[in-house]
Structure formats: C-alpha cells, structure tokens
Amino acid sequence: MTTTTDAAADIDEERHDVVATLAVTRSRRRPAMPGLRDLATVAAVLVVAVLTAWAIAPGLFTGHDPYAGVTADNFRAPSWEHLFGTDQFGRDILARVVFGTRTAVLTALLAVGIGLVAGSAVGLIAGFSGRVADAILGRLIDALLAIPGFLLAVVVVVSLGFASVNAAVAVGISSVAVFARLIRSETLRVKNTAFIESSRLIGGGKIVVLCRHVLPNVYRSVLALAVLQFGLAIINISALAFLGYGNPPPSPDWGLLVADGKDFFYRYPWFVYGPGLVIVLSVLSLGQLSKLIGRNR
C-alpha cells in the first residue's frame, strides 16, 4: 500500500514538474512572437515608405537616366556605382526600377479603386436590398469568382489594348467579385444587429443606415482586403507587363524589366534579381500590413 502511495506521489510530482516546465517554456516563447511581428511590421512600413518616396520623387534617389545608357557601361555587375548593375544598353537598372515605381503604384491604385468602388456597390446592394437582389447578385459574384482572376484580366486587357492603364483596369475588373463577396458578407452580418434595427425603428432610411451604421462597421475588413489587393495588383500588373500587355519598351515597368532580363539571366542574373526583389518585397510588405490591419479590426 505504501509502495502504491509513493508511486502515485512520484507520478504527481513528475506531472507537476512537466506542467511547470511547459509553463516556463511558453512564458519564454510568448514575448518572442510579438517581437517578431513588430519587426516584420517595421520592415514592411519601411519598404512601403521607400516605395512611396520613389513614386513621388524618383529623381532624388538616383542620378542616372532610366532611359539613356552609356554603351561602355553595359553588362556591368552590381557595384556601389550601380547597385543593381546595368543592362545591355548600359542603363542603370536601379534607376529604371526607381522610375518605374510611380507607374507600378499608380496602376495598382487604379486597379484597387475600380475593384473597391464597383465591388462595394455590388456587395452593399446584394447584402442590404433583399432576398431577390441578394440571390441574383450572389450568383453573379459566384460566377465571377469561378473564373481565375488573372485569366479574366488577360481577356480584358486583350480587349482594351496593350498599355499599363488598360492592364490596371483589367486587374481592377477581375477583383470586383472579391470585394463584393467580402462586403456582402459583412453587410449581412451587420444589418441584423440591434443597433441597425433601432435605427430603422426611429425612421432611419436605407441610405442613412448604410452611411452611418453599416459602412463604419465594415471598413476595417475592407481596408485590410484593399491593402492585400494592392499587393496582388502590383504583381498581376507586373505579370501582364512581363507577357507584353503593358507599356512598350523602353518603359521602365517592373514586369517589363524582368522580361527584358530573362534572355540574359544565365550570364547576367542581376538583370532579373533587382526588379524581382523589389516586386517580392513590395507584395510581402503589403501583405504584412494587411495582416496587421486585420488583427486590429
């Protein structure tokens, strides 16, 4: 009997030791995660700040001409004078990336604006008008979501013509259904809450209810999606430019820079690494900011 009691006591003691060890381990690990998230957020903000500065005043960040090159400087490897190297025409690749940022940012803003405005209208009507409108628009949203967004963008840009603005319009149209689905679901969630019913009972019309109560309660989710879609718009517009659906050469569009460098990739990989790195960092940074907004909503 004593042996059994001692064994049980030993088991309990070991269990307490294991629990205590796990608690200490978890307490040590917890501070690391917020720190890593904060570091990633700071890095994302810095990248977005640099991109914004490049888009506003590209001439302040490089003294090289993005269009005219020096023949004697062609195929130069990355150095302090040419951080991303030079291309086959002796043009500084970093200068072309910096001057191409304005086009990348503005076209992405146009794409997100089209998707946000049109998607908000469709989503609000579907979620707030009633069952008939919701059923019709809901099926339309589902049909658009069934089509791959990039494929739809290619079809639209081929119809409109090859240019960066048309590529932005195409990407914006392809994102309408994404915004509409989110706004519809958020509107359906909010419209049956108590404060919406109270607003209706005191005589609030649909427009008043939408503007005063529905939109303020869905904007954070929409903002997080808009930031995420901004990054996706950058990569999709760059992909369209890579395929030749953007502005023609010698435009410094990011996707076009990668396309120009692919033929020289094996001998001069920096043709692709510089523009590709900027595209990847831009998309990852915007994705991180989108997560931050989503966590704080």
Side-chain angles (χ1 to χ4, degrees):
M1 188 70 177
T2 304
T3 304
T4 304
T5 304
D6 293 340
D10 292 339
I11 292 174
D12 289 338
E13 185 177 353
E14 290 178 0
R15 185 181 301 167
H16 286 304
D17 291 340
V18 171
V19 172
T21 302
L22 290 174
V24 171
T25 304
R26 289 175 181 173
S27 65
R28 289 176 179 174
R29 289 179 179 176
R30 280 173 189 163
M33 294 305 294
L36 291 176
R37 286 201 299 263
D38 292 342
L39 182 61
T41 301
V42 170
V45 171
L46 288 176
V47 170
V48 173
V50 170
L51 292 177
T52 304
W54 284 1
I56 294 174
L60 296 178
F61 297 91
T62 177
H64 298 282
D65 191 324
Y67 298 100
V70 180
T71 306
D73 290 339
N74 60 346
F75 299 111
R76 290 287 181 91
S79 62
W80 286 113
E81 184 179 0
H82 305 283
L83 291 180
F84 285 178
T86 62
D87 62 11
Q88 68 272 30
F89 300 109
R91 297 174 299 194
D92 184 78
I93 296 177
L94 176 60
R96 290 177 60 75
V97 171
V98 171
F99 276 86
T101 305
R102 179 175 297 174
T103 300
V105 171
L106 292 179
T107 52
L109 282 175
L110 176 60
V112 173
I114 292 172
L116 178 60
V117 172
S120 298
V122 174
L124 287 172
I125 294 172
F128 204 77
S129 294
R131 292 184 178 180
V132 176
D134 185 28
I136 296 173
L137 293 176
R139 299 296 78 75
L140 175 62
I141 293 171
D142 292 339
L144 290 175
L145 289 173
I147 304 173
F150 187 74
L151 177 61
L152 180 59
V154 170
V155 172
V156 174
V157 76
V158 168
S159 303
L160 295 176
F162 298 169
S164 292
V165 173
N166 293 339
V169 173
V171 172
I173 292 174
S174 68
S175 67
V176 169
V178 179
F179 282 101
R181 178 179 61 177
L182 174 66
I183 295 172
R184 172 182 173 271
S185 63
E186 290 293 307
T187 303
L188 290 173
R189 178 183 62 83
V190 171
K191 79 171 187 177
N192 294 321
T193 54
F195 64 89
I196 296 292
E197 295 296 333
S198 300
S199 179
R200 286 173 173 170
L201 290 175
I202 62 176
K206 287 187 177 181
I207 302 299
V208 174
V209 173
L210 279 174
C211 295
R212 289 188 179 180
H213 302 292
V214 176
L215 290 178
N217 283 279
V218 304
Y219 85 94
R220 282 190 179 274
S221 299
V222 176
L223 180 60
L225 178 62
V227 174
L228 179 63
Q229 287 295 125
F230 188 84
L232 294 177
I234 287 178
I235 197 168
N236 284 333
I237 293 171
S238 298
L240 290 173
F242 177 85
L243 296 175
Y245 297 139
N247 290 333
S251 172
D253 289 0
W254 288 353
L256 187 58
L257 296 181
V258 177
D260 288 342
K262 72 180 187 303
D263 296 330
F264 303 94
F265 178 74
Y266 290 104
R267 293 189 63 185
Y268 311 105
W270 59 85
F271 278 35
V272 175
Y273 286 160
L277 178 64
V278 173
I279 294 172
V280 170
L281 288 178
S282 302
V283 175
L284 291 178
S285 299
L286 290 166
Q288 178 64 28
L289 293 181
S290 176
K291 289 181 181 179
L292 177 65
I293 296 171
R295 285 198 301 265
N296 294 332
R297 65 179 180 175

